[in-house]
Amino acid sequence: MDKHTVDRFAEGPSTVAASNRWAEPPADPAGAPAGEAFPFHRLTRSWAGHRWWKPLLTGLLGTIFYLIFMLIVLVIGGIRGGLDPALGASYLERLESFDLSDPLVFGFTMVSLILLIPALALAALITGPRPIGLLSSVHGRIRWGWLGRCLAAAAVIYSLSIALSFLLEPLFPGYVPPTLDLAGPRVGILIAMTLLLVPFQAAAEEYVFRGYLMQAVGSWLRHPAFAILLPVPLFVLGHGYDLLGQLDVALFAVFAGWITWRTGGLEAAIAAHVVNNSTIFLLGAVGLVDVNAKEGSAIGLGISVLTTAAFAVVVLRMFDRSGSLRRDRVVVPAPVPAIQPYAQYPYGQYAFAPNAGQYPPPYPQGQAPAGQYPPPYPQGQAPAGQYPPPYAGQHLHAPAPAHYPTAPGAAGSTPPAPHPSDQYKAQKFQPSQGEQHAPDTSAPDPRTGGDPSDTTSDDPDARPRDQARRDR
């Protein structure tokens, strides 16, 4: 993996939600962190909440939202057309004609495509992925600086392409020279609408066909060829051209999908789409291009191939030289907090050995939550008999902490409190005042040979009570 494929988002483990098993790797100039790399078409699988059915649900919700938005636009247009019966009839007739040189039809067509952006955004907010910027690039957002450079490169290359086409088209039979019209009543409004609406229209198509559809296919099929090629027929069907025109559209769709996968984002495809469409509609506004033409040409297809190849070479060269752009999103498992071995905990701090990962490390002095762990007692103030004996300084793994009593007799130590069992033993073996006897001054018993302590007498009455009980 080269240095451009490393995701250097510096998010710590504390920012990772408990339900998210992935975390962005920290910046590591020494090399790429160990983790799984997700290219653009597999970005939905980099989200821990991804499920196989969620792309389908996103498409369903996006379609519903889009129909609702379109209904709102049609209702507003119907109300506006209903204010004047003549205007209302003209409104419907102009839409049915689908003349893109008409500002009304042009604006309605552009708005109907732009509405794909909020519809897809709302669906993605509900079903994922998170963050929603993964639909834009592996960085989780639009890379605006990179988009600006791609727009500049596309403007230069497509301008040269248009100039080349104007030079070569007169060489073919049947050529009709266009008529420049700068004073027409629609020129100004068409130019303004082109600059205002076409960038969003082109971006909307890229988000749907190269963003959502590529990632939906890529979430099920790993190889990028499936994600690049399978959305192409849907993109071609949205353009009503003849065979050569459809080949031109299909070529652009394949290029847009490939450059998106290769650069890890939609910026290059959006730049090419915006500049291409804006150039066509601006030339159509002044009469140099027929924006309603449905027929393609061999010369036009050849120029498109050269233009696309030149733009791809320039974009890849800029991308490889950038040094800060990535084509993959690398994620690593969220680190598990390290738990010290039980032998390193101070004696008596836990009543039993904690399982790894079940309890957090020891709390600082006086900060233990009430009712969960007993707070460390200050030196010499632990209640007698309730906690293990004071530290004797013989622990093999860790020294005694400052908040535990030191060993008896050590410097700075305090005498330990007497244990209740010691007091009980002293009271048990201490004879009471009633049991204390006076000195024995009795005379020798003649029957026992003069020794009062002699217990060998055969007289049952003279034997000690315990011995008489045993004899019976």
Side-chain angles (χ1 to χ4, degrees):
M1 186 186 305
D2 58 6
K3 64 179 180 180
H4 306 304
T5 64
V6 181
D7 193 344
R8 295 186 173 91
F9 284 168
E11 295 178 3
S14 60
T15 63
V16 181
S19 61
N20 195 343
R21 67 178 182 272
W22 298 103
E24 290 292 345
D28 186 8
E36 185 175 0
F38 294 89
F40 180 84
H41 71 291
R42 302 278 289 176
L43 283 182
T44 56
R45 300 192 68 89
S46 67
W47 177 44
H50 170 73
R51 301 295 181 271
W52 70 268
W53 46 266
K54 285 192 174 183
L56 298 177
L57 182 59
T58 301
L60 177 61
L61 292 177
T63 302
I64 295 174
F65 291 141
Y66 178 74
L67 294 177
I68 294 174
F69 295 152
M70 282 298 300
L71 181 61
I72 295 174
V73 171
L74 291 175
V75 169
I76 295 175
I79 294 174
R80 177 65 183 87
L83 297 178
D84 185 358
L87 182 60
S90 176
Y91 175 80
L92 295 177
E93 291 175 358
R94 290 163 66 183
L95 286 180
E96 290 177 357
S97 66
F98 200 75
D99 181 9
L100 291 177
S101 62
D102 185 350
L104 176 65
V105 178
F106 180 80
F108 178 80
T109 304
M110 295 296 107
V111 171
S112 65
L113 294 174
I114 292 172
L115 290 178
L116 292 170
I117 295 179
L120 178 60
L122 285 177
L125 286 175
I126 296 174
T127 62
R130 301 286 190 278
I132 191 175
L134 291 178
L135 289 171
S136 303
S137 73
V138 296
H139 290 242
R141 56 179 176 81
I142 280 285
R143 300 168 290 189
W144 295 105
W146 172 238
L147 177 61
R149 284 180 282 172
C150 291
L151 285 172
V156 174
I157 293 174
Y158 279 84
S159 297
L160 295 176
S161 173
I162 293 295
L164 180 62
S165 65
F166 278 117
L167 291 176
L168 295 179
E169 283 185 355
L171 303 178
F172 288 83
Y175 169 73
V176 177
T179 302
L180 181 64
D181 182 12
L182 297 178
R186 299 178 175 180
V187 174
I189 188 171
L190 285 175
I191 292 177
M193 294 177 70
T194 297
L195 298 177
L196 180 63
L197 299 179
V198 169
F200 295 98
Q201 169 263 327
E205 293 185 10
E206 293 305 316
Y207 268 104
V208 172
F209 292 99
R210 258 67 68 180
Y212 162 69
L213 285 179
M214 274 190 65
Q215 293 185 3
V217 175
S219 66
W220 303 318
L221 303 174
R222 181 179 293 273
H223 199 279
F226 295 105
I228 295 173
L229 298 178
L230 290 182
V232 171
L234 296 176
F235 185 75
V236 172
L237 290 176
H239 300 76
Y241 299 122
D242 63 356
L243 179 59
L244 289 177
Q246 297 285 31
L247 288 177
D248 197 346
V249 172
L251 171 67
F252 179 82
V254 174
F255 160 75
W258 177 80
I259 202 67
T260 296
W261 167 77
R262 179 62 176 78
T263 59
L266 296 175
E267 295 86 358
I270 290 176
H273 204 155
V274 168
V275 172
N276 179 76
N277 288 12
S278 298
T279 302
I280 292 175
F281 287 118
L282 287 176
L283 294 176
V286 296
L288 295 180
V289 172
D290 183 8
V291 294
N292 296 313
K294 304 297 182 183
E295 299 80 13
S297 62
I299 185 64
L301 181 61
I303 292 176
S304 294
V305 172
L306 293 177
T307 304
T308 302
F311 182 69
V313 170
V314 173
V315 166
L316 293 183
R317 190 174 183 86
M318 292 191 306
F319 181 83
D320 293 336
R321 288 185 173 185
S322 65
S324 60
L325 300 175
R326 303 183 302 275
R327 55 178 297 187
D328 295 322
R329 176 182 175 90
V330 179
V331 292
V332 296
V336 179
I339 301 298
Q340 297 180 351
Y342 178 65
Q344 296 184 9
Y345 288 104
Y347 179 65
Q349 186 159 353
Y350 289 96
F352 52 91
N355 296 327
Q358 185 174 357
Y359 293 95
Y363 287 92
Q365 184 174 357
Q367 298 184 11
Q372 295 187 12
Y373 297 98
Y377 284 88
Q379 183 174 354
Q381 297 185 15
Q386 295 185 14
Y387 289 87
Y391 251 89
Q394 299 178 0
H395 200 274
L396 299 179
H397 300 278
H403 57 268
Y404 280 89
T406 55
S413 65
T414 58
H419 198 277
S421 60
D422 298 335
Q423 301 177 7
Y424 172 73
K425 292 178 181 179
Q427 295 176 2
K428 180 179 179 181
F429 296 101
Q430 182 69 24
S432 62
Q433 296 181 0
E435 295 179 352
Q436 295 180 359
H437 302 282
D440 188 6
T441 57
S442 61
D445 190 351
R447 293 177 297 177
T448 59
D451 189 357
S453 63
D454 188 3
T455 59
T456 58
S457 174
D458 295 335
D459 187 359
D461 297 331
R463 288 176 295 176
R465 184 179 301 172
D466 294 340
Q467 184 176 354
R469 186 181 295 109
R470 288 196 300 271
D471 293 341
R472 289 196 297 266

